[in-house]
Amino acid sequence: MTVAGIISAIIVGLVVGALGRLVVPGRQNMPIWLTILVGIVAALIGTAIAQAVGVAVTDGIDWIELVFQVGLAALGVALIAGVRGRGTV
């Protein structure tokens, strides 16, 4: 993987992880680096699922792929927040 590929994976992971956190209700007690890591993993798995289904490459924005990625990020955030325990306000 090139440096540009690593940087783009971090950026996509940040965005997908942040969107995943927004989808999960309540406050999640987890650091930003863990959100980015969950987002990177969700982006990679979501892309693989979209390719397997045949919707990874479309004209314009790949909305279905993005839904897969954000859904997986939300699932990952919810699982990790549940394991780590929810923060109190």
Side-chain angles (χ1 to χ4, degrees), residues 43-72:
L44 293 173
I45 295 173
T47 298
I49 292 172
Q51 287 175 347
V53 176
V55 294
V57 179
T58 59
D59 292 335
I61 298 173
D62 298 328
W63 291 107
I64 298 172
E65 181 178 0
L66 184 62
V67 167
F68 285 147
Q69 292 171 339
V70 172
L72 287 169

Side-chain angles (χ1 to χ4, degrees), residues 20-21 24 28 30 34-35 38-39 41-42 69-83:
R21 268 184 102 156
V24 176
Q28 298 83 32
M30 57 190 291
L34 192 54
T35 302
V38 168
V41 171
Q69 292 171 339
V70 172
L72 287 169
L75 179 65
V77 166
L79 288 173
I80 291 174
V83 169

